[in-house]
Amino acid sequence: MYKKYKIIFVNIIVLLIIFTIILIGFFINPKLDFFSINNGNSVIKDISTYCTKLKNSSNKYIGTNQKLLWQVKLNNAKDEYNIWFAKLGLAKAEMNLGGFDEAVSIIEEVLGSENFQSLPDTSKIMTYNSAALIYIKAAEVKNCVIPGGSIVCQLPTDNNYKQDYTDYSYKAIEVINEWLMIDSENLMAKWLLNIVYMSIGEYPEGINNDLLIEVPGQNLSSIVTQFTDVSIDRGIYTVDLAGGVIFDDFNNDGYADLITSTWDPCSSMKFYLNKGINGFKDITVNSNLSTQLGGLNIVSTDYNNDGYLDIYVLRGGWLMEEGEMINSLLKNNGDLTFTDVTQEVNLSDFAYPTQSASWGDYDNDGDLDLFICNESYKDENENIIYPSQLFNNNNNKFLDVSVQASISNDRYCKSSDWGDYNNDGLIDLFISNYGGENRLYKNLGNGLFEDIAREVGITDPYYSFTSWFWDYDNDGDLDIFSSGYEYGIIKSIESFMGKIDLNYSLKLYENNGEGLYRDNTQGLGLLKVHSTMGANFGDVNNDGYDDLYLGTGYPAIDSLVPNAFYFNKEGLSFVDKTHIYGLGHIQKGHGVAFADYDLDGDLDIFEQMGGFYMSDGFTNILYQNSNNTNNWIGIKLIGDKSGKIALGAKINLVCDNKNYNSIVEPGGSFGSSSLIKVMGIQDCKNIDKLYITWPRDQSIQEINNISVNQYILVKESELGYEKIKFIVGNKIE
């Protein structure tokens, strides 16, 4: 009798604790909406308070209530089935919140219980699935989320780089084999088994042929030098959750700096100043960014046309009603500090969940306008919830002109990009939507736009995410890349096996030069499925053709698929060289950006990694490129009438009777690459002609006879160019 009343008493206490937490949250904000706080000139001033509020909520990614609720269910369970169910839920909650030791202890208690074998097969499968993930993630934390451990999680691993601590991995193999004895054709089970064998260096020989899933590009024999993670050596090693990155020059000294963000509500943005041979210096606190809550994405801009890059912070993605967060426009003061000017410029009157935004001068008045790609949808009354927005920049004040411009996107917007697809001197807007047709808004030149996506044939894939304009075939007109996105990994795994679902596949639309597109995905070897989030492009070997790097994943813990790198073979095909280049990391790839941080003439890659759950943080990676075998030219443009950063300017080089083309844009999704353009020119010894088409009036500037393998500065208002001299240590080069 005493025991019975003791249990009741404990349950009452636990319930009172939960009720108190929820009640406190309600009185602070009835919706537990801690996102739309706006105090003074800063969106959120006290990150620690905000973090505490969210941790004490029922948010599925960070809230500790999820664990307390499972504990209550366990305390109230009266039969073996409900005890099993509650323990399984509690184990997964512990895993999500980072309590791996606790999760392992609980799941092993479940597996070792006397009554486990009497459970139905469906319950056993659920248990084996959860146990495998708990063991795999616990092994990742012990082996990979440590200084120097990132290479251990690149798949398939080189046997020289494999897990040191393998106990959890062998336990994962054991439970997966039990899983397969019940459900021999389960694709997730087979995939996880392959993943574990890769991590311990026993792939593929350790796996039975009937269970083997071959990952493309396993043969590492190549003359190519693999990219090397130098994040520790260069002073930017950190562990974070999913976020964005800008890899560009914030103090105009020529060196590409790094600013990262994270959706983690307990962490701020980070600013790493590039000090040349001295590596990077963390100046987050002094820059005023330590008080700025980060966001799922950040994009670069120069909204006030002063020549210094500003930051637009995007928040609330994935969170729906909980994501009603105010974005922030952070002004670069020119002294390595930033000021939140969101209210000042009239951008603080809405709070919508969003993942993407793009800047461009659509009205050719010399300043940058803003399109915000919100996660829109229609309710049961056909009202648009969280509408995407077009803002016109008028003397650094922003006005929502979406209705007047005839831009209305009622779909779940994932990314957007500006580009002049028909070369008429007016930039157009491409919008990627998840669960709906993509849109191409043609700029009519009078402040109006028209959706012509169906007309030109670029509405797919139906489940789109990452997208951008680019000139993949180097012919001078803008093609379109749009990646499908699966909320899961089964279709990605099936893609390795040759089964392609077109609703989720990559798409590459080739511009015919006359404003029409053809789907050339299959012809280029890109008919693949990747759950692509952060992604970007850049010419890593200086052959004049942009290559493709795809960061993959989705919020759930079980998103375990390698990131992907496709080498562009002179615009004729794309070849999977992920593992040859050492870029097949299994962690979730989010912000991806290219820049020549060490000024050696080839593009390096920074990747902001990590997932959504608190247990899914990972180290950011700076991939150093050592494949500089071709010649190159680095070009920085300074506009006059066209805006200081010359966004949208077109560059054409003529060298040995061959043309090389590029455009000034940050590119990518969740990552802004450097606007200082590094262009590969193969074995060209001297540049005969350089043509710059300035975006505002389409005027063409011609410069002759330029030496290769140097950085140059070109100004819209001046003739010729000047060589850029960088301060390297105590020397000028």
Side-chain angles (χ1 to χ4, degrees):
M1 181 67 70
Y2 170 77
K3 185 177 180 181
K4 177 181 178 182
Y5 284 116
K6 183 179 179 181
I7 293 173
I8 294 173
F9 178 75
V10 171
N11 287 337
I12 291 172
I13 295 298
V14 173
L15 287 169
L16 283 172
I17 293 172
I18 295 172
F19 178 76
T20 302
I21 292 171
I22 294 172
L23 192 64
I24 292 171
F26 180 83
F27 280 113
I28 293 172
N29 191 319
K31 293 175 59 180
L32 284 178
D33 175 16
F34 311 123
F35 303 96
S36 57
I37 300 173
N38 193 336
N39 296 317
N41 202 39
S42 180
V43 174
I44 297 173
K45 288 186 173 181
D46 191 342
I47 293 176
S48 62
T49 300
Y50 167 63
C51 170
T52 301
K53 291 173 180 176
L54 196 58
K55 277 189 172 181
N56 293 332
S57 76
S58 297
N59 179 277
K60 66 179 180 180
Y61 298 112
I62 185 176
T64 55
N65 281 2
Q66 56 182 294
K67 185 170 69 172
L68 293 174
L69 290 170
W70 281 112
Q71 187 63 62
V72 170
K73 289 183 180 181
L74 179 59
N75 293 339
N76 290 331
K78 294 182 173 56
D79 56 67
E80 292 299 327
Y81 182 85
N82 283 300
I83 291 173
W84 160 81
F85 185 72
K87 285 185 175 181
L88 189 63
L90 185 59
K92 291 192 289 187
E94 289 282 11
M95 174 184 65
N96 292 339
L97 294 170
F100 289 108
D101 290 340
E102 294 83 355
V104 168
S105 177
I106 297 169
I107 203 68
E108 290 184 345
E109 184 180 334
V110 172
L111 293 168
S113 68
E114 294 181 0
N115 299 296
F116 177 71
Q117 294 303 326
S118 64
L119 290 171
D121 284 349
T122 53
S123 300
K124 290 179 183 177
I125 289 173
M126 290 175 62
T127 307
Y128 292 136
N129 189 351
S130 298
L133 286 174
I134 289 170
Y135 286 134
I136 290 171
K137 289 301 294 185
E140 177 184 280
V141 171
K142 282 188 173 291
N143 291 281
C144 304
V145 192
I146 58 175
S150 65
I151 194 171
V152 181
C153 280
Q154 296 189 152
L155 302 183
T157 57
D158 187 319
N159 287 341
N160 294 319
Y161 303 102
K162 54 188 177 183
Q163 292 182 358
D164 292 324
Y165 182 88
T166 58
D167 288 3
Y168 285 151
S169 295
Y170 283 111
K171 287 182 177 181
I173 291 173
E174 183 179 342
V175 297
I176 295 171
N177 283 327
E178 293 289 335
W179 179 1
L180 287 167
M181 288 181 66
I182 302 174
D183 187 4
S184 61
E185 297 303 315
N186 190 284
L187 190 56
M188 177 61 82
K190 290 182 180 180
W191 175 248
L192 292 178
L193 188 67
N194 279 259
I195 289 291
V196 180
Y197 274 107
M198 291 177 194
S199 68
I200 61 177
E202 297 181 15
Y203 175 90
E205 63 276 3
I207 307 176
N208 294 332
N209 286 335
D210 60 330
L211 298 174
L212 179 64
I213 298 175
E214 295 189 16
V215 178
Q218 298 172 48
N219 186 1
L220 300 182
S221 59
S222 174
I223 61 173
V224 171
T225 303
Q226 289 195 348
F227 283 73
T228 305
D229 179 10
V230 296
S231 57
I232 296 175
D233 293 340
R234 309 314 291 168
I236 56 172
Y237 178 85
T238 186
V239 176
D240 237 324
L241 298 181
V245 61
I246 301 173
F247 202 178
D248 213 331
D249 182 10
F250 283 90
N251 61 341
N252 291 338
D253 66 350
Y255 288 91
D257 312 302
L258 278 164
I259 293 181
T260 66
S261 69
T262 173
W263 104 270
D264 184 354
C266 305
S267 182
S268 72
M269 303 173 66
K270 295 181 176 65
F271 188 0
Y272 299 99
L273 181 69
N274 191 342
K275 303 289 288 184
I277 62 173
N278 296 316
F280 289 82
K281 180 182 179 181
D282 188 342
I283 62 168
T284 304
V285 174
N286 291 337
S287 69
N288 300 331
L289 292 181
S290 62
T291 60
Q292 270 290 338
L293 180 70
L296 197 56
N297 195 5
I298 52 176
V299 295
S300 60
T301 182
D302 182 17
Y303 83 97
N304 59 350
N305 203 22
D306 65 353
Y308 287 94
L309 287 178
D310 312 301
I311 306 168
Y312 193 59
V313 186
L314 303 159
R315 303 188 176 101
W318 293 116
L319 298 176
M320 300 302 289
E321 289 83 4
E322 281 192 314
E324 293 180 350
M325 305 174 70
I326 297 174
N327 299 327
S328 293
L329 180 60
L330 307 181
K331 174 187 174 183
N332 187 338
N333 299 317
D335 58 0
L336 298 177
T337 68
F338 292 86
T339 301
D340 190 326
V341 295
T342 313
Q343 288 185 312
E344 179 184 320
V345 301
N346 300 333
L347 286 174
S348 64
D349 295 335
F350 58 95
Y352 301 153
T354 184
Q355 295 188 29
S356 163
S358 50
W359 295 80
D361 184 11
Y362 77 85
D363 53 1
N364 283 338
D365 64 351
D367 55 29
L368 296 178
D369 311 298
L370 170 65
F371 179 78
I372 303 178
C373 186
N374 295 314
E375 295 181 342
S376 315
Y377 65 94
K378 280 187 178 180
D379 66 10
E380 62 275 7
N381 298 316
E382 296 296 303
N383 298 313
I384 301 178
I385 309 301
Y386 311 133
S388 295
Q389 300 157 291
L390 175 65
F391 287 92
N392 180 261
N393 184 349
N394 185 9
N395 294 319
N396 304 329
K397 302 289 185 180
F398 290 86
L399 176 67
D400 189 338
V401 296
S402 309
V403 175
Q404 300 94 306
S406 296
I407 285 183
S408 175
N409 190 52
D410 56 356
R411 299 161 189 170
Y412 199 64
C413 189
K414 299 304 261 184
S415 69
S416 62
D417 196 21
W418 293 100
D420 184 6
Y421 86 96
N422 57 354
N423 288 320
D424 65 351
L426 300 169
I427 58 171
D428 313 289
L429 179 65
F430 182 78
I431 298 174
S432 169
N433 292 306
Y434 183 81
E437 293 182 351
N438 299 325
R439 299 184 186 274
L440 176 60
Y441 279 105
K442 179 181 180 180
N443 190 340
L444 302 179
N446 54 0
L448 296 174
F449 291 82
E450 178 186 5
D451 182 9
I452 60 166
R454 289 188 178 183
E455 178 183 329
V456 300
I458 54 170
T459 58
D460 293 328
Y462 189 79
Y463 296 99
S464 293
F465 201 136
T466 305
S467 67
W468 55 69
F469 286 106
W470 65 332
D471 185 8
Y472 86 89
D473 51 2
N474 193 29
D475 64 353
D477 50 40
L478 292 182
D479 313 295
I480 294 175
F481 175 81
S482 182
S483 174
Y485 183 79
E486 174 198 7
Y487 196 84
I489 61 171
I490 295 299
K491 296 185 184 300
S492 296
I493 300 168
E494 290 176 339
S495 179
F496 293 142
M497 305 165 69
K499 182 180 178 181
I500 309 298
D501 189 327
L502 297 179
N503 287 315
Y504 302 92
S505 69
L506 305 179
K507 285 289 184 182
L508 205 165
Y509 294 104
E510 180 184 343
N511 192 329
N512 71 352
E514 298 178 356
L516 295 175
Y517 287 89
R518 75 177 181 106
D519 183 352
N520 197 18
T521 311
Q522 186 168 3
L524 293 167
L526 283 177
L527 195 60
K528 312 285 184 180
V529 175
H530 296 279
S531 287
T532 304
M533 295 188 302
N536 219 315
F537 57 92
D539 179 9
V540 302
N541 66 336
N542 287 337
D543 67 347
Y545 293 87
D546 285 325
D547 310 299
L548 187 61
Y549 186 67
L550 306 178
T552 61
Y554 73 108
I557 295 291
D558 63 5
S559 177
L560 298 169
V561 288
N563 300 323
F565 176 82
Y566 288 95
F567 175 78
N568 185 347
K569 193 174 180 181
E570 298 188 337
L572 301 175
S573 66
F574 285 83
V575 182
D576 188 337
K577 291 193 176 184
T578 303
H579 307 296
I580 288 175
Y581 277 95
L583 296 171
H585 207 287
I586 198 171
Q587 242 292 342
K588 297 173 178 64
H590 228 261
V592 175
F594 289 73
D596 180 18
Y597 89 92
D598 50 3
L599 301 177
D600 63 352
D602 55 30
L603 292 176
D604 311 291
I605 305 173
F606 180 87
E607 186 169 14
Q608 165 81 353
M609 311 196 74
F612 243 60
Y613 290 91
M614 299 307 294
S615 62
D616 213 12
F618 204 83
T619 62
N620 296 329
I621 295 179
L622 177 58
Y623 287 113
Q624 183 162 299
N625 187 353
S626 301
N627 291 283
N628 185 14
T629 58
N630 288 316
N631 292 326
W632 56 277
I633 186 73
I635 303 173
K636 179 176 181 177
L637 301 183
I638 296 180
D640 184 11
K641 295 180 294 182
S642 299
K644 288 290 180 61
I645 63 173
L647 197 66
K650 300 172 184 176
I651 302 173
N652 171 243
L653 302 176
V654 181
C655 191
D656 293 341
N657 295 317
K658 187 171 182 176
N659 285 276
Y660 299 88
N661 295 284
S662 187
I663 186 168
V664 178
E665 64 167 332
S669 175
F670 293 100
S672 294
S673 295
S674 175
L675 299 179
I676 301 175
K677 305 304 296 186
V678 177
M679 298 179 62
I681 47 180
Q682 300 183 4
D683 58 355
C684 175
K685 301 296 190 297
N686 191 75
I687 298 170
D688 302 313
K689 301 280 187 182
L690 165 64
Y691 298 101
I692 309 294
T693 302
W694 296 96
R696 185 173 183 184
D697 59 6
Q698 298 298 293
S699 62
I700 299 176
Q701 184 174 355
E702 178 182 335
I703 303 173
N704 301 318
N705 192 26
I706 304 171
S707 299
V708 300
N709 300 337
Q710 64 170 331
Y711 277 90
I712 66 172
L713 175 67
V714 180
K715 298 180 179 179
E716 184 177 12
S717 57
E718 300 179 10
L719 298 175
Y721 71 93
E722 60 183 86
K723 181 178 180 179
I724 301 177
K725 296 180 179 181
F726 300 103
I727 299 176
V728 182
N730 295 320
K731 299 188 301 180
I732 296 180
E733 295 188 352

